[in-house]
Amino acid sequence: MNESIVIVYRSKTGFTQRYAEQLAGELGCAAWAERDAGPERLRGCRTLVFGTRAHAGRVDGLKRALRLQRQSSARLVLFVTGAMPGDAAALNAFWRQNLTEEQLREIPHFYLQGGLCYERMGPVDRFLMRGFAAMLRGKKDKTPEDEATERAIAHSFDCSDPAFLRPLAELLREAP
Ligand SMILES: Cc1cc2nc3c(=O)[nH]c(=O)nc-3n(C[C@H](O)[C@H](O)[C@H](O)COP(=O)(O)O)c2cc1C
């Protein structure tokens, strides 16, 4: 068991959990749900990988990730799953609105496309998604991206692929 790396994940509909478990399998380290991770359990870990979802443009649970990192003194590596395809410009804007300049430099951060799962979504999230869909429907002068998003979020979908983990797994193998 590789005890120098621990993966902690926050996952509501399963995409982040699946990536976390695949990564743990590749690296031979532990992957714990956020509720099972505390500073005591992280003792001895040198790299804390925190996996979470994008939520309304934010990194869900970023404060928790930073707190765990401070408490454990481990290096923090972040991965975020989301529904957006992850083109460079959109991703750049996403990271810039969530991380400070210093964090962008210091915290390796990765985006892994997941999907959407209405079946496993809680009522609040479903409500928010309905609002987002209605906003897009009512928008005048829709861009091609708006139209693609509107079509994509009409149903559950799964674009996740274990291959998306490759750059993150490589970093962790090179500098565990
Ligand atoms: C209310 C809501 C807001 C979301 N906002 C974003 C977003 O801003 N960007 C994005 O790429 N995905 C967004 N998503 C999609 C989730 O990030 C995506 O489904 C993620 O993979 C879920 O991870 P989980 O299954 O581990 O909970 C949103 C989903 C919900 C329900």
PDB file of all heavy atoms in Angstrom, residues 32-57:
ATOM      1  N   TRP A  32     -10.638   7.882   0.165  1.00  0.00           N
ATOM      2  CA  TRP A  32     -11.677   7.981   1.198  1.00  0.00           C
ATOM      3  C   TRP A  32     -12.696   9.043   0.821  1.00  0.00           C
ATOM      4  O   TRP A  32     -12.329  10.116   0.321  1.00  0.00           O
ATOM      5  CB  TRP A  32     -11.074   8.415   2.531  1.00  0.00           C
ATOM      6  CG  TRP A  32     -10.114   7.439   3.114  1.00  0.00           C
ATOM      7  CD1 TRP A  32     -10.198   6.065   3.069  1.00  0.00           C
ATOM      8  CD2 TRP A  32      -8.923   7.750   3.848  1.00  0.00           C
ATOM      9  NE1 TRP A  32      -9.134   5.521   3.732  1.00  0.00           N
ATOM     10  CE2 TRP A  32      -8.340   6.513   4.217  1.00  0.00           C
ATOM     11  CE3 TRP A  32      -8.311   8.933   4.223  1.00  0.00           C
ATOM     12  CZ2 TRP A  32      -7.158   6.448   4.946  1.00  0.00           C
ATOM     13  CZ3 TRP A  32      -7.132   8.872   4.953  1.00  0.00           C
ATOM     14  CH2 TRP A  32      -6.564   7.642   5.314  1.00  0.00           C
ATOM     15  N   ALA A  33     -13.947   8.746   1.140  1.00  0.00           N
ATOM     16  CA  ALA A  33     -14.968   9.788   1.048  1.00  0.00           C
ATOM     17  C   ALA A  33     -14.613  10.871   2.066  1.00  0.00           C
ATOM     18  O   ALA A  33     -14.030  10.569   3.120  1.00  0.00           O
ATOM     19  CB  ALA A  33     -16.332   9.204   1.360  1.00  0.00           C
ATOM     20  N   GLU A  34     -14.989  12.088   1.737  1.00  0.00           N
ATOM     21  CA  GLU A  34     -14.635  13.236   2.586  1.00  0.00           C
ATOM     22  C   GLU A  34     -15.012  13.030   4.058  1.00  0.00           C
ATOM     23  O   GLU A  34     -14.259  13.381   4.956  1.00  0.00           O
ATOM     24  CB  GLU A  34     -15.403  14.420   2.006  1.00  0.00           C
ATOM     25  CG  GLU A  34     -15.084  15.728   2.583  1.00  0.00           C
ATOM     26  CD  GLU A  34     -16.056  16.783   2.081  1.00  0.00           C
ATOM     27  OE1 GLU A  34     -17.068  16.453   1.427  1.00  0.00           O
ATOM     28  OE2 GLU A  34     -15.787  17.947   2.356  1.00  0.00           O
ATOM     29  N   ARG A  35     -16.178  12.409   4.286  1.00  0.00           N
ATOM     30  CA  ARG A  35     -16.641  12.249   5.681  1.00  0.00           C
ATOM     31  C   ARG A  35     -15.719  11.321   6.484  1.00  0.00           C
ATOM     32  O   ARG A  35     -15.703  11.350   7.707  1.00  0.00           O
ATOM     33  CB  ARG A  35     -18.088  11.737   5.719  1.00  0.00           C
ATOM     34  CG  ARG A  35     -18.247  10.357   5.129  1.00  0.00           C
ATOM     35  CD  ARG A  35     -19.666   9.805   5.189  1.00  0.00           C
ATOM     36  NE  ARG A  35     -19.719   8.580   4.402  1.00  0.00           N
ATOM     37  CZ  ARG A  35     -19.878   8.538   3.097  1.00  0.00           C
ATOM     38  NH1 ARG A  35     -20.041   9.647   2.422  1.00  0.00           N
ATOM     39  NH2 ARG A  35     -19.892   7.384   2.441  1.00  0.00           N
ATOM     40  N   ASP A  36     -14.956  10.494   5.805  1.00  0.00           N
ATOM     41  CA  ASP A  36     -14.069   9.555   6.510  1.00  0.00           C
ATOM     42  C   ASP A  36     -12.655  10.101   6.670  1.00  0.00           C
ATOM     43  O   ASP A  36     -11.785   9.414   7.203  1.00  0.00           O
ATOM     44  CB  ASP A  36     -13.987   8.224   5.740  1.00  0.00           C
ATOM     45  CG  ASP A  36     -15.342   7.561   5.628  1.00  0.00           C
ATOM     46  OD1 ASP A  36     -16.129   7.696   6.591  1.00  0.00           O
ATOM     47  OD2 ASP A  36     -15.631   6.954   4.592  1.00  0.00           O
ATOM     48  N   ALA A  37     -12.408  11.300   6.161  1.00  0.00           N
ATOM     49  CA  ALA A  37     -11.041  11.846   6.205  1.00  0.00           C
ATOM     50  C   ALA A  37     -10.965  12.940   7.254  1.00  0.00           C
ATOM     51  O   ALA A  37     -11.806  13.819   7.300  1.00  0.00           O
ATOM     52  CB  ALA A  37     -10.673  12.431   4.847  1.00  0.00           C
ATOM     53  N   GLY A  38      -9.992  12.843   8.110  1.00  0.00           N
ATOM     54  CA  GLY A  38      -9.748  13.905   9.090  1.00  0.00           C
ATOM     55  C   GLY A  38      -8.252  14.034   9.235  1.00  0.00           C
ATOM     56  O   GLY A  38      -7.523  13.179   8.731  1.00  0.00           O
ATOM     57  N   PRO A  39      -7.798  15.084   9.942  1.00  0.00           N
ATOM     58  CA  PRO A  39      -6.358  15.298  10.075  1.00  0.00           C
ATOM     59  C   PRO A  39      -5.626  14.087  10.655  1.00  0.00           C
ATOM     60  O   PRO A  39      -4.518  13.772  10.248  1.00  0.00           O
ATOM     61  CB  PRO A  39      -6.252  16.503  11.001  1.00  0.00           C
ATOM     62  CG  PRO A  39      -7.614  16.978  11.273  1.00  0.00           C
ATOM     63  CD  PRO A  39      -8.597  16.108  10.585  1.00  0.00           C
ATOM     64  N   GLU A  40      -6.298  13.356  11.608  1.00  0.00           N
ATOM     65  CA  GLU A  40      -5.584  12.208  12.228  1.00  0.00           C
ATOM     66  C   GLU A  40      -5.325  11.128  11.190  1.00  0.00           C
ATOM     67  O   GLU A  40      -4.252  10.532  11.145  1.00  0.00           O
ATOM     68  CB  GLU A  40      -6.397  11.568  13.386  1.00  0.00           C
ATOM     69  CG  GLU A  40      -7.253  12.490  14.204  1.00  0.00           C
ATOM     70  CD  GLU A  40      -8.503  12.962  13.457  1.00  0.00           C
ATOM     71  OE1 GLU A  40      -9.186  12.114  12.850  1.00  0.00           O
ATOM     72  OE2 GLU A  40      -8.774  14.168  13.457  1.00  0.00           O
ATOM     73  N   ARG A  41      -6.332  10.896  10.355  1.00  0.00           N
ATOM     74  CA  ARG A  41      -6.171   9.821   9.356  1.00  0.00           C
ATOM     75  C   ARG A  41      -5.159  10.189   8.285  1.00  0.00           C
ATOM     76  O   ARG A  41      -4.658   9.327   7.588  1.00  0.00           O
ATOM     77  CB  ARG A  41      -7.513   9.522   8.675  1.00  0.00           C
ATOM     78  CG  ARG A  41      -8.401   8.641   9.506  1.00  0.00           C
ATOM     79  CD  ARG A  41      -9.483   8.016   8.673  1.00  0.00           C
ATOM     80  NE  ARG A  41      -9.088   6.709   8.138  1.00  0.00           N
ATOM     81  CZ  ARG A  41      -9.847   5.975   7.353  1.00  0.00           C
ATOM     82  NH1 ARG A  41     -11.038   6.420   6.991  1.00  0.00           N
ATOM     83  NH2 ARG A  41      -9.440   4.808   6.917  1.00  0.00           N
ATOM     84  N   LEU A  42      -4.896  11.492   8.144  1.00  0.00           N
ATOM     85  CA  LEU A  42      -3.980  11.923   7.085  1.00  0.00           C
ATOM     86  C   LEU A  42      -2.530  11.979   7.562  1.00  0.00           C
ATOM     87  O   LEU A  42      -1.637  12.321   6.798  1.00  0.00           O
ATOM     88  CB  LEU A  42      -4.398  13.292   6.541  1.00  0.00           C
ATOM     89  CG  LEU A  42      -5.734  13.301   5.797  1.00  0.00           C
ATOM     90  CD1 LEU A  42      -6.133  14.721   5.438  1.00  0.00           C
ATOM     91  CD2 LEU A  42      -5.643  12.450   4.539  1.00  0.00           C
ATOM     92  N   ARG A  43      -2.341  11.636   8.844  1.00  0.00           N
ATOM     93  CA  ARG A  43      -0.979  11.674   9.370  1.00  0.00           C
ATOM     94  C   ARG A  43      -0.083  10.737   8.547  1.00  0.00           C
ATOM     95  O   ARG A  43      -0.468   9.620   8.241  1.00  0.00           O
ATOM     96  CB  ARG A  43      -0.974  11.261  10.852  1.00  0.00           C
ATOM     97  CG  ARG A  43       0.214  11.834  11.586  1.00  0.00           C
ATOM     98  CD  ARG A  43       0.098  11.671  13.093  1.00  0.00           C
ATOM     99  NE  ARG A  43      -0.992  12.457  13.673  1.00  0.00           N
ATOM    100  CZ  ARG A  43      -1.771  12.012  14.660  1.00  0.00           C
ATOM    101  NH1 ARG A  43      -1.620  10.800  15.126  1.00  0.00           N
ATOM    102  NH2 ARG A  43      -2.715  12.781  15.158  1.00  0.00           N
ATOM    103  N   GLY A  44       1.080  11.225   8.174  1.00  0.00           N
ATOM    104  CA  GLY A  44       2.004  10.369   7.412  1.00  0.00           C
ATOM    105  C   GLY A  44       1.833  10.512   5.917  1.00  0.00           C
ATOM    106  O   GLY A  44       2.656  10.054   5.143  1.00  0.00           O
ATOM    107  N   CYS A  45       0.736  11.160   5.503  1.00  0.00           N
ATOM    108  CA  CYS A  45       0.524  11.300   4.060  1.00  0.00           C
ATOM    109  C   CYS A  45       1.288  12.529   3.557  1.00  0.00           C
ATOM    110  O   CYS A  45       1.275  13.586   4.177  1.00  0.00           O
ATOM    111  CB  CYS A  45      -0.975  11.375   3.788  1.00  0.00           C
ATOM    112  SG  CYS A  45      -1.548  12.688   2.757  1.00  0.00           S
ATOM    113  N   ARG A  46       1.988  12.362   2.457  1.00  0.00           N
ATOM    114  CA  ARG A  46       2.793  13.478   1.929  1.00  0.00           C
ATOM    115  C   ARG A  46       2.051  14.237   0.849  1.00  0.00           C
ATOM    116  O   ARG A  46       2.268  15.417   0.619  1.00  0.00           O
ATOM    117  CB  ARG A  46       4.128  12.955   1.394  1.00  0.00           C
ATOM    118  CG  ARG A  46       5.127  12.720   2.517  1.00  0.00           C
ATOM    119  CD  ARG A  46       6.518  12.532   1.999  1.00  0.00           C
ATOM    120  NE  ARG A  46       6.627  11.258   1.297  1.00  0.00           N
ATOM    121  CZ  ARG A  46       7.396  11.057   0.226  1.00  0.00           C
ATOM    122  NH1 ARG A  46       8.098  12.043  -0.273  1.00  0.00           N
ATOM    123  NH2 ARG A  46       7.454   9.871  -0.336  1.00  0.00           N
ATOM    124  N   THR A  47       1.175  13.523   0.125  1.00  0.00           N
ATOM    125  CA  THR A  47       0.389  14.177  -0.931  1.00  0.00           C
ATOM    126  C   THR A  47      -1.082  13.887  -0.718  1.00  0.00           C
ATOM    127  O   THR A  47      -1.491  12.728  -0.645  1.00  0.00           O
ATOM    128  CB  THR A  47       0.831  13.671  -2.319  1.00  0.00           C
ATOM    129  OG1 THR A  47       2.201  14.014  -2.513  1.00  0.00           O
ATOM    130  CG2 THR A  47      -0.003  14.303  -3.416  1.00  0.00           C
ATOM    131  N   LEU A  48      -1.847  14.950  -0.588  1.00  0.00           N
ATOM    132  CA  LEU A  48      -3.293  14.827  -0.448  1.00  0.00           C
ATOM    133  C   LEU A  48      -3.911  15.178  -1.802  1.00  0.00           C
ATOM    134  O   LEU A  48      -3.758  16.300  -2.288  1.00  0.00           O
ATOM    135  CB  LEU A  48      -3.781  15.807   0.620  1.00  0.00           C
ATOM    136  CG  LEU A  48      -5.281  16.090   0.667  1.00  0.00           C
ATOM    137  CD1 LEU A  48      -6.059  14.850   1.070  1.00  0.00           C
ATOM    138  CD2 LEU A  48      -5.571  17.227   1.645  1.00  0.00           C
ATOM    139  N   VAL A  49      -4.581  14.208  -2.412  1.00  0.00           N
ATOM    140  CA  VAL A  49      -5.281  14.478  -3.673  1.00  0.00           C
ATOM    141  C   VAL A  49      -6.738  14.705  -3.316  1.00  0.00           C
ATOM    142  O   VAL A  49      -7.381  13.823  -2.727  1.00  0.00           O
ATOM    143  CB  VAL A  49      -5.165  13.271  -4.643  1.00  0.00           C
ATOM    144  CG1 VAL A  49      -5.851  13.595  -5.961  1.00  0.00           C
ATOM    145  CG2 VAL A  49      -3.708  12.900  -4.876  1.00  0.00           C
ATOM    146  N   PHE A  50      -7.254  15.885  -3.587  1.00  0.00           N
ATOM    147  CA  PHE A  50      -8.660  16.165  -3.278  1.00  0.00           C
ATOM    148  C   PHE A  50      -9.433  16.196  -4.582  1.00  0.00           C
ATOM    149  O   PHE A  50      -9.114  16.967  -5.486  1.00  0.00           O
ATOM    150  CB  PHE A  50      -8.786  17.498  -2.530  1.00  0.00           C
ATOM    151  CG  PHE A  50     -10.155  17.712  -1.917  1.00  0.00           C
ATOM    152  CD1 PHE A  50     -10.436  17.265  -0.628  1.00  0.00           C
ATOM    153  CD2 PHE A  50     -11.162  18.347  -2.625  1.00  0.00           C
ATOM    154  CE1 PHE A  50     -11.698  17.445  -0.068  1.00  0.00           C
ATOM    155  CE2 PHE A  50     -12.436  18.542  -2.068  1.00  0.00           C
ATOM    156  CZ  PHE A  50     -12.693  18.091  -0.778  1.00  0.00           C
ATOM    157  N   GLY A  51     -10.448  15.334  -4.694  1.00  0.00           N
ATOM    158  CA  GLY A  51     -11.292  15.283  -5.894  1.00  0.00           C
ATOM    159  C   GLY A  51     -12.679  15.774  -5.568  1.00  0.00           C
ATOM    160  O   GLY A  51     -13.249  15.392  -4.539  1.00  0.00           O
ATOM    161  N   THR A  52     -13.211  16.627  -6.421  1.00  0.00           N
ATOM    162  CA  THR A  52     -14.557  17.147  -6.176  1.00  0.00           C
ATOM    163  C   THR A  52     -15.202  17.520  -7.505  1.00  0.00           C
ATOM    164  O   THR A  52     -14.649  17.256  -8.570  1.00  0.00           O
ATOM    165  CB  THR A  52     -14.498  18.342  -5.193  1.00  0.00           C
ATOM    166  OG1 THR A  52     -15.833  18.787  -4.928  1.00  0.00           O
ATOM    167  CG2 THR A  52     -13.697  19.515  -5.759  1.00  0.00           C
ATOM    168  N   ARG A  53     -16.389  18.119  -7.435  1.00  0.00           N
ATOM    169  CA  ARG A  53     -17.099  18.476  -8.669  1.00  0.00           C
ATOM    170  C   ARG A  53     -17.086  19.988  -8.891  1.00  0.00           C
ATOM    171  O   ARG A  53     -16.950  20.756  -7.929  1.00  0.00           O
ATOM    172  CB  ARG A  53     -18.557  18.007  -8.577  1.00  0.00           C
ATOM    173  CG  ARG A  53     -19.274  18.686  -7.429  1.00  0.00           C
ATOM    174  CD  ARG A  53     -20.745  18.358  -7.366  1.00  0.00           C
ATOM    175  NE  ARG A  53     -21.354  19.096  -6.258  1.00  0.00           N
ATOM    176  CZ  ARG A  53     -22.651  19.220  -6.061  1.00  0.00           C
ATOM    177  NH1 ARG A  53     -23.500  18.643  -6.881  1.00  0.00           N
ATOM    178  NH2 ARG A  53     -23.113  19.910  -5.040  1.00  0.00           N
ATOM    179  N   ALA A  54     -17.295  20.368 -10.125  1.00  0.00           N
ATOM    180  CA  ALA A  54     -17.576  21.775 -10.418  1.00  0.00           C
ATOM    181  C   ALA A  54     -19.048  21.994 -10.106  1.00  0.00           C
ATOM    182  O   ALA A  54     -19.892  21.149 -10.428  1.00  0.00           O
ATOM    183  CB  ALA A  54     -17.314  22.072 -11.894  1.00  0.00           C
ATOM    184  N   HIS A  55     -19.356  23.109  -9.456  1.00  0.00           N
ATOM    185  CA  HIS A  55     -20.739  23.370  -9.069  1.00  0.00           C
ATOM    186  C   HIS A  55     -21.034  24.840  -9.269  1.00  0.00           C
ATOM    187  O   HIS A  55     -20.500  25.674  -8.529  1.00  0.00           O
ATOM    188  CB  HIS A  55     -20.951  22.954  -7.607  1.00  0.00           C
ATOM    189  CG  HIS A  55     -22.378  22.868  -7.203  1.00  0.00           C
ATOM    190  ND1 HIS A  55     -22.923  23.673  -6.248  1.00  0.00           N
ATOM    191  CD2 HIS A  55     -23.365  22.061  -7.642  1.00  0.00           C
ATOM    192  CE1 HIS A  55     -24.206  23.367  -6.105  1.00  0.00           C
ATOM    193  NE2 HIS A  55     -24.493  22.385  -6.935  1.00  0.00           N
ATOM    194  N   ALA A  56     -21.836  25.136 -10.293  1.00  0.00           N
ATOM    195  CA  ALA A  56     -22.173  26.519 -10.623  1.00  0.00           C
ATOM    196  C   ALA A  56     -20.914  27.382 -10.739  1.00  0.00           C
ATOM    197  O   ALA A  56     -20.828  28.468 -10.169  1.00  0.00           O
ATOM    198  CB  ALA A  56     -23.145  27.089  -9.593  1.00  0.00           C
ATOM    199  N   GLY A  57     -19.930  26.861 -11.434  1.00  0.00           N
ATOM    200  CA  GLY A  57     -18.714  27.625 -11.687  1.00  0.00           C
ATOM    201  C   GLY A  57     -17.690  27.591 -10.571  1.00  0.00           C
ATOM    202  O   GLY A  57     -16.618  28.182 -10.683  1.00  0.00           O
TER     203      GLY A  57
END
